[in-house]
Amino acid sequence: MNKKTFITMMLALVAMTGQAQTKTATVIGYSPALKDGTLVFAGTGSRSTVVDTVQAGRFTYTLPVVEFTESFLSFYGEGCPNSYTVIFLCPDVTVKVTGNDCLNPLWKVESPIPEQQTQNRLTEYCRDVRTEALQMDLANAPREKRDSVTLIWMKQQMDILPSLPVDAATIRALLGISETAMIRKDFPYMEQLKEVEKTFAARAPKGFENQLAEIHSYVYAKDEQQIAVELAGNESVFFKKYDGVAPENILQTILDNYKGKAVLIDMWATWCGPCRAGHKAMAPMKEQMKGQNVQFVYIASPSSPPTTWQRMITDIDGDHYYLTEEQNHYILQHFESSGIPTYAIYDTKGHQTYKSIGFPGNDVIRKELEAASK
């Protein structure tokens, strides 16, 4: 064997080893209701990105997976809700997701993973009320009506949780309910929540200690003031400071902080996959625009659990505002928007020069901001 042949074989072996170490999971989906061109977002943790575009109702994507993990699937297109499907993944697993409509959180998820089967039971038990909630979101129903349905959905989850395994799926559900209970002064099912929390603490296998401690802290949190104190350490965060501002004045109150600057306002939520994908896509552009007369402003509301929101904003450069539902709703109405993400740009004189419902791409945003900053 000559030297050249030996080196070639060694390079091939290194390449094969690298491929063997790259583990992935595959998701195959279909719904005849999805329009061609609908963007498919997926990811793990708090980050997602465009992974495919729907054609003939079909989509396929792979995600890098080194161990059991929780992933999210959402869509951006006509008739798609601002919500996501929870999909549990392991290396080398293939999951099939199918539906007959655009309400993807209710679709059938075929998977050999036990936690996914738990999630499926939870979804099926709450199907009717979850369907109503998603349809109300799509219709942009009044917040009070949507909140009442959401509370019923949480009540139904608590009704079935004690009969399900304590695993990643049920811990996740209980965590979401407890976060909501923490930020609502009038959560009507607190006693039931406390009982479910005790049951989970007694039944949980090892490995969930941190999540259970977090749930316990939410269930027995003193009140919203405690959250405000925790959030006050970040100088760019305004939580309680603007609670007393009337909804019709909140937008101008925020803009007054940036007189003489071009401002990009990004309306988002922690649970919104397209919102998070937009943040990730804009990061390089924001870095390139540093030093220019531009300010990036991010607005969220209590639909985003405050602790989750606080954790996420550390990776999003800009000023962050956590407004009341009424203030947030007023701004969306002002922009004539029925969903998020919604983007608006103001010039140095405080005049709105641009608006987009959905991420328009970096080229468009950069062009509009540069024009607004002159």
mmCIF file with all atom_site columns, all heavy atoms in Angstrom, residues 310-322:
data_model
loop_
_atom_site.group_PDB
_atom_site.id
_atom_site.type_symbol
_atom_site.label_atom_id
_atom_site.label_alt_id
_atom_site.label_comp_id
_atom_site.label_asym_id
_atom_site.label_entity_id
_atom_site.label_seq_id
_atom_site.pdbx_PDB_ins_code
_atom_site.Cartn_x
_atom_site.Cartn_y
_atom_site.Cartn_z
_atom_site.occupancy
_atom_site.B_iso_or_equiv
_atom_site.pdbx_formal_charge
_atom_site.auth_seq_id
_atom_site.auth_comp_id
_atom_site.auth_asym_id
_atom_site.auth_atom_id
_atom_site.pdbx_PDB_model_num
ATOM 1   N N   . GLN A 1 310 ? -38.308 35.300 30.472 1.00 0.00 ? 310 GLN A N   1
ATOM 2   C CA  . GLN A 1 310 ? -37.081 35.868 31.026 1.00 0.00 ? 310 GLN A CA  1
ATOM 3   C C   . GLN A 1 310 ? -35.855 35.082 30.575 1.00 0.00 ? 310 GLN A C   1
ATOM 4   O O   . GLN A 1 310 ? -34.805 35.654 30.273 1.00 0.00 ? 310 GLN A O   1
ATOM 5   C CB  . GLN A 1 310 ? -37.153 35.885 32.543 1.00 0.00 ? 310 GLN A CB  1
ATOM 6   C CG  . GLN A 1 310 ? -35.977 36.601 33.205 1.00 0.00 ? 310 GLN A CG  1
ATOM 7   C CD  . GLN A 1 310 ? -36.043 36.522 34.716 1.00 0.00 ? 310 GLN A CD  1
ATOM 8   O OE1 . GLN A 1 310 ? -36.752 35.674 35.251 1.00 0.00 ? 310 GLN A OE1 1
ATOM 9   N NE2 . GLN A 1 310 ? -35.327 37.384 35.391 1.00 0.00 ? 310 GLN A NE2 1
ATOM 10  N N   . ARG A 1 311 ? -36.000 33.771 30.490 1.00 0.00 ? 311 ARG A N   1
ATOM 11  C CA  . ARG A 1 311 ? -34.880 32.941 30.058 1.00 0.00 ? 311 ARG A CA  1
ATOM 12  C C   . ARG A 1 311 ? -34.564 33.166 28.568 1.00 0.00 ? 311 ARG A C   1
ATOM 13  O O   . ARG A 1 311 ? -33.396 33.261 28.174 1.00 0.00 ? 311 ARG A O   1
ATOM 14  C CB  . ARG A 1 311 ? -35.208 31.470 30.304 1.00 0.00 ? 311 ARG A CB  1
ATOM 15  C CG  . ARG A 1 311 ? -34.082 30.503 29.949 1.00 0.00 ? 311 ARG A CG  1
ATOM 16  C CD  . ARG A 1 311 ? -34.421 29.091 30.387 1.00 0.00 ? 311 ARG A CD  1
ATOM 17  N NE  . ARG A 1 311 ? -35.549 28.533 29.676 1.00 0.00 ? 311 ARG A NE  1
ATOM 18  C CZ  . ARG A 1 311 ? -36.747 28.320 30.208 1.00 0.00 ? 311 ARG A CZ  1
ATOM 19  N NH1 . ARG A 1 311 ? -36.979 28.631 31.465 1.00 0.00 ? 311 ARG A NH1 1
ATOM 20  N NH2 . ARG A 1 311 ? -37.734 27.804 29.508 1.00 0.00 ? 311 ARG A NH2 1
ATOM 21  N N   . MET A 1 312 ? -35.598 33.284 27.758 1.00 0.00 ? 312 MET A N   1
ATOM 22  C CA  . MET A 1 312 ? -35.399 33.410 26.318 1.00 0.00 ? 312 MET A CA  1
ATOM 23  C C   . MET A 1 312 ? -34.793 34.748 25.919 1.00 0.00 ? 312 MET A C   1
ATOM 24  O O   . MET A 1 312 ? -33.980 34.826 24.999 1.00 0.00 ? 312 MET A O   1
ATOM 25  C CB  . MET A 1 312 ? -36.730 33.225 25.584 1.00 0.00 ? 312 MET A CB  1
ATOM 26  C CG  . MET A 1 312 ? -37.205 31.801 25.492 1.00 0.00 ? 312 MET A CG  1
ATOM 27  S SD  . MET A 1 312 ? -38.673 31.680 24.437 1.00 0.00 ? 312 MET A SD  1
ATOM 28  C CE  . MET A 1 312 ? -38.996 29.924 24.528 1.00 0.00 ? 312 MET A CE  1
ATOM 29  N N   . ILE A 1 313 ? -35.176 35.828 26.600 1.00 0.00 ? 313 ILE A N   1
ATOM 30  C CA  . ILE A 1 313 ? -34.748 37.148 26.140 1.00 0.00 ? 313 ILE A CA  1
ATOM 31  C C   . ILE A 1 313 ? -33.258 37.384 26.339 1.00 0.00 ? 313 ILE A C   1
ATOM 32  O O   . ILE A 1 313 ? -32.691 38.313 25.746 1.00 0.00 ? 313 ILE A O   1
ATOM 33  C CB  . ILE A 1 313 ? -35.547 38.284 26.819 1.00 0.00 ? 313 ILE A CB  1
ATOM 34  C CG1 . ILE A 1 313 ? -35.300 38.324 28.331 1.00 0.00 ? 313 ILE A CG1 1
ATOM 35  C CG2 . ILE A 1 313 ? -37.022 38.165 26.490 1.00 0.00 ? 313 ILE A CG2 1
ATOM 36  C CD1 . ILE A 1 313 ? -35.973 39.499 29.026 1.00 0.00 ? 313 ILE A CD1 1
ATOM 37  N N   . THR A 1 314 ? -32.612 36.549 27.128 1.00 0.00 ? 314 THR A N   1
ATOM 38  C CA  . THR A 1 314 ? -31.166 36.716 27.313 1.00 0.00 ? 314 THR A CA  1
ATOM 39  C C   . THR A 1 314 ? -30.411 36.483 26.010 1.00 0.00 ? 314 THR A C   1
ATOM 40  O O   . THR A 1 314 ? -29.278 36.936 25.857 1.00 0.00 ? 314 THR A O   1
ATOM 41  C CB  . THR A 1 314 ? -30.635 35.758 28.387 1.00 0.00 ? 314 THR A CB  1
ATOM 42  O OG1 . THR A 1 314 ? -30.921 34.401 28.004 1.00 0.00 ? 314 THR A OG1 1
ATOM 43  C CG2 . THR A 1 314 ? -31.291 36.045 29.732 1.00 0.00 ? 314 THR A CG2 1
ATOM 44  N N   . ASP A 1 315 ? -31.035 35.771 25.059 1.00 0.00 ? 315 ASP A N   1
ATOM 45  C CA  . ASP A 1 315 ? -30.401 35.488 23.776 1.00 0.00 ? 315 ASP A CA  1
ATOM 46  C C   . ASP A 1 315 ? -30.916 36.395 22.660 1.00 0.00 ? 315 ASP A C   1
ATOM 47  O O   . ASP A 1 315 ? -30.574 36.183 21.497 1.00 0.00 ? 315 ASP A O   1
ATOM 48  C CB  . ASP A 1 315 ? -30.641 34.025 23.381 1.00 0.00 ? 315 ASP A CB  1
ATOM 49  C CG  . ASP A 1 315 ? -29.964 33.047 24.325 1.00 0.00 ? 315 ASP A CG  1
ATOM 50  O OD1 . ASP A 1 315 ? -28.871 33.390 24.832 1.00 0.00 ? 315 ASP A OD1 1
ATOM 51  O OD2 . ASP A 1 315 ? -30.518 31.967 24.559 1.00 0.00 ? 315 ASP A OD2 1
ATOM 52  N N   . ILE A 1 316 ? -31.742 37.382 22.996 1.00 0.00 ? 316 ILE A N   1
ATOM 53  C CA  . ILE A 1 316 ? -32.328 38.251 21.974 1.00 0.00 ? 316 ILE A CA  1
ATOM 54  C C   . ILE A 1 316 ? -31.896 39.679 22.272 1.00 0.00 ? 316 ILE A C   1
ATOM 55  O O   . ILE A 1 316 ? -32.408 40.317 23.202 1.00 0.00 ? 316 ILE A O   1
ATOM 56  C CB  . ILE A 1 316 ? -33.869 38.151 21.957 1.00 0.00 ? 316 ILE A CB  1
ATOM 57  C CG1 . ILE A 1 316 ? -34.314 36.694 21.836 1.00 0.00 ? 316 ILE A CG1 1
ATOM 58  C CG2 . ILE A 1 316 ? -34.439 38.981 20.798 1.00 0.00 ? 316 ILE A CG2 1
ATOM 59  C CD1 . ILE A 1 316 ? -35.794 36.487 22.062 1.00 0.00 ? 316 ILE A CD1 1
ATOM 60  N N   . ASP A 1 317 ? -30.954 40.192 21.501 1.00 0.00 ? 317 ASP A N   1
ATOM 61  C CA  . ASP A 1 317 ? -30.412 41.524 21.737 1.00 0.00 ? 317 ASP A CA  1
ATOM 62  C C   . ASP A 1 317 ? -31.456 42.588 21.408 1.00 0.00 ? 317 ASP A C   1
ATOM 63  O O   . ASP A 1 317 ? -32.016 42.605 20.317 1.00 0.00 ? 317 ASP A O   1
ATOM 64  C CB  . ASP A 1 317 ? -29.163 41.728 20.877 1.00 0.00 ? 317 ASP A CB  1
ATOM 65  C CG  . ASP A 1 317 ? -28.456 43.034 21.204 1.00 0.00 ? 317 ASP A CG  1
ATOM 66  O OD1 . ASP A 1 317 ? -28.505 43.454 22.367 1.00 0.00 ? 317 ASP A OD1 1
ATOM 67  O OD2 . ASP A 1 317 ? -27.858 43.629 20.282 1.00 0.00 ? 317 ASP A OD2 1
ATOM 68  N N   . GLY A 1 318 ? -31.733 43.475 22.366 1.00 0.00 ? 318 GLY A N   1
ATOM 69  C CA  . GLY A 1 318 ? -32.718 44.530 22.171 1.00 0.00 ? 318 GLY A CA  1
ATOM 70  C C   . GLY A 1 318 ? -33.390 44.876 23.480 1.00 0.00 ? 318 GLY A C   1
ATOM 71  O O   . GLY A 1 318 ? -33.039 44.345 24.536 1.00 0.00 ? 318 GLY A O   1
ATOM 72  N N   . ASP A 1 319 ? -34.382 45.762 23.428 1.00 0.00 ? 319 ASP A N   1
ATOM 73  C CA  . ASP A 1 319 ? -35.160 46.120 24.614 1.00 0.00 ? 319 ASP A CA  1
ATOM 74  C C   . ASP A 1 319 ? -36.430 45.288 24.639 1.00 0.00 ? 319 ASP A C   1
ATOM 75  O O   . ASP A 1 319 ? -37.114 45.136 23.614 1.00 0.00 ? 319 ASP A O   1
ATOM 76  C CB  . ASP A 1 319 ? -35.503 47.611 24.609 1.00 0.00 ? 319 ASP A CB  1
ATOM 77  C CG  . ASP A 1 319 ? -34.330 48.465 25.076 1.00 0.00 ? 319 ASP A CG  1
ATOM 78  O OD1 . ASP A 1 319 ? -33.259 47.893 25.315 1.00 0.00 ? 319 ASP A OD1 1
ATOM 79  O OD2 . ASP A 1 319 ? -34.500 49.691 25.188 1.00 0.00 ? 319 ASP A OD2 1
ATOM 80  N N   . HIS A 1 320 ? -36.755 44.789 25.824 1.00 0.00 ? 320 HIS A N   1
ATOM 81  C CA  . HIS A 1 320 ? -37.882 43.864 25.959 1.00 0.00 ? 320 HIS A CA  1
ATOM 82  C C   . HIS A 1 320 ? -38.938 44.429 26.896 1.00 0.00 ? 320 HIS A C   1
ATOM 83  O O   . HIS A 1 320 ? -38.621 44.907 27.987 1.00 0.00 ? 320 HIS A O   1
ATOM 84  C CB  . HIS A 1 320 ? -37.384 42.516 26.478 1.00 0.00 ? 320 HIS A CB  1
ATOM 85  C CG  . HIS A 1 320 ? -36.508 41.795 25.510 1.00 0.00 ? 320 HIS A CG  1
ATOM 86  N ND1 . HIS A 1 320 ? -36.993 40.888 24.605 1.00 0.00 ? 320 HIS A ND1 1
ATOM 87  C CD2 . HIS A 1 320 ? -35.171 41.889 25.280 1.00 0.00 ? 320 HIS A CD2 1
ATOM 88  C CE1 . HIS A 1 320 ? -35.994 40.432 23.868 1.00 0.00 ? 320 HIS A CE1 1
ATOM 89  N NE2 . HIS A 1 320 ? -34.880 41.026 24.256 1.00 0.00 ? 320 HIS A NE2 1
ATOM 90  N N   . TYR A 1 321 ? -40.202 44.321 26.464 1.00 0.00 ? 321 TYR A N   1
ATOM 91  C CA  . TYR A 1 321 ? -41.332 44.803 27.250 1.00 0.00 ? 321 TYR A CA  1
ATOM 92  C C   . TYR A 1 321 ? -42.308 43.662 27.470 1.00 0.00 ? 321 TYR A C   1
ATOM 93  O O   . TYR A 1 321 ? -42.681 42.956 26.526 1.00 0.00 ? 321 TYR A O   1
ATOM 94  C CB  . TYR A 1 321 ? -42.039 45.949 26.527 1.00 0.00 ? 321 TYR A CB  1
ATOM 95  C CG  . TYR A 1 321 ? -41.221 47.202 26.401 1.00 0.00 ? 321 TYR A CG  1
ATOM 96  C CD1 . TYR A 1 321 ? -40.232 47.312 25.432 1.00 0.00 ? 321 TYR A CD1 1
ATOM 97  C CD2 . TYR A 1 321 ? -41.431 48.281 27.242 1.00 0.00 ? 321 TYR A CD2 1
ATOM 98  C CE1 . TYR A 1 321 ? -39.463 48.459 25.314 1.00 0.00 ? 321 TYR A CE1 1
ATOM 99  C CE2 . TYR A 1 321 ? -40.678 49.440 27.126 1.00 0.00 ? 321 TYR A CE2 1
ATOM 100 C CZ  . TYR A 1 321 ? -39.691 49.523 26.163 1.00 0.00 ? 321 TYR A CZ  1
ATOM 101 O OH  . TYR A 1 321 ? -38.951 50.660 26.051 1.00 0.00 ? 321 TYR A OH  1
ATOM 102 N N   . TYR A 1 322 ? -42.713 43.488 28.710 1.00 0.00 ? 322 TYR A N   1
ATOM 103 C CA  . TYR A 1 322 ? -43.692 42.463 29.077 1.00 0.00 ? 322 TYR A CA  1
ATOM 104 C C   . TYR A 1 322 ? -44.947 43.211 29.521 1.00 0.00 ? 322 TYR A C   1
ATOM 105 O O   . TYR A 1 322 ? -45.050 43.662 30.658 1.00 0.00 ? 322 TYR A O   1
ATOM 106 C CB  . TYR A 1 322 ? -43.131 41.612 30.210 1.00 0.00 ? 322 TYR A CB  1
ATOM 107 C CG  . TYR A 1 322 ? -43.875 40.331 30.500 1.00 0.00 ? 322 TYR A CG  1
ATOM 108 C CD1 . TYR A 1 322 ? -43.487 39.134 29.913 1.00 0.00 ? 322 TYR A CD1 1
ATOM 109 C CD2 . TYR A 1 322 ? -44.942 40.311 31.375 1.00 0.00 ? 322 TYR A CD2 1
ATOM 110 C CE1 . TYR A 1 322 ? -44.135 37.945 30.196 1.00 0.00 ? 322 TYR A CE1 1
ATOM 111 C CE2 . TYR A 1 322 ? -45.607 39.132 31.673 1.00 0.00 ? 322 TYR A CE2 1
ATOM 112 C CZ  . TYR A 1 322 ? -45.202 37.941 31.084 1.00 0.00 ? 322 TYR A CZ  1
ATOM 113 O OH  . TYR A 1 322 ? -45.860 36.773 31.369 1.00 0.00 ? 322 TYR A OH  1
#
